[in-house]
Amino acid sequence: MDYRKTILLVDDDVDLLENTAFMIKGMGHDVFTARDGEDGISKYKDVKPNLTFMDIRMPKMDGYDAFFKIKQIDPAAKVILITAYNQDEKKYLKAKSMSLLDSIPKPYSFETLEGIINKYA
């Protein structure tokens, strides 16, 4: 059985993106990154990840809108939203109704990421 998973990280914070990618690679998984929602959608189509972590507040397209588009492409997509801010309740409830797996606050720990990957991917 192959425990190696493909993980997509979408965040406009380059330092956080690189640090998170490093942590997840250290767990033995393949990691792809994108710096905004539009790029995240494009990468999702290319790599078809087992799990996607996506920041909510980003330029060009926020994480909610990118999530909605990804779910149109792949209704079975597994997405975790990440935020350091209060959530837009209306968009959050819509996302939950479209099978959003979870949302986690920034900053997050290695243990939190590992637990989510083990649970959902």
Side-chain angles (χ1 to χ4, degrees), residues 70-102:
I70 286 171
K71 289 301 260 186
Q72 288 175 345
I73 296 163
D74 179 6
K78 294 180 178 182
V79 179
I80 304 290
L81 291 177
I82 303 168
T83 186
Y85 304 96
N86 289 332
Q87 298 185 33
D88 177 323
E89 193 67 24
K90 188 174 179 184
K91 283 186 172 182
Y92 178 75
L93 291 173
K94 180 180 177 185
K96 285 300 281 183
S97 76
M98 296 174 71
S99 303
L100 172 68
L101 292 179
D102 207 346

Side-chain angles (χ1 to χ4, degrees), residues 5-97:
K5 303 295 180 190
T6 301
I7 309 295
L8 174 62
L9 302 173
V10 186
D11 199 317
D12 61 317
D13 182 332
V14 178
D15 290 336
L16 185 68
L17 193 65
E18 290 174 356
N19 288 336
T20 305
F22 181 78
M23 284 193 295
I24 294 174
K25 285 177 185 174
M27 295 176 205
H29 302 296
D30 295 321
V31 180
F32 295 86
T33 61
R35 293 188 180 165
D36 61 59
E38 290 176 358
D39 190 27
I41 293 165
S42 177
K43 289 261 173 68
Y44 187 91
K45 290 177 189 175
D46 291 343
V47 302
K48 297 175 181 55
N50 299 103
L51 186 63
T52 300
F53 289 92
M54 185 161 0
D55 189 24
I56 291 175
R57 191 174 284 186
M58 295 183 289
K60 294 186 184 177
M61 178 185 295
D62 74 18
Y64 284 117
D65 292 336
F67 167 80
F68 299 141
K69 290 192 181 296
I70 286 171
K71 289 301 260 186
Q72 288 175 345
I73 296 163
D74 179 6
K78 294 180 178 182
V79 179
I80 304 290
L81 291 177
I82 303 168
T83 186
Y85 304 96
N86 289 332
Q87 298 185 33
D88 177 323
E89 193 67 24
K90 188 174 179 184
K91 283 186 172 182
Y92 178 75
L93 291 173
K94 180 180 177 185
K96 285 300 281 183
S97 76

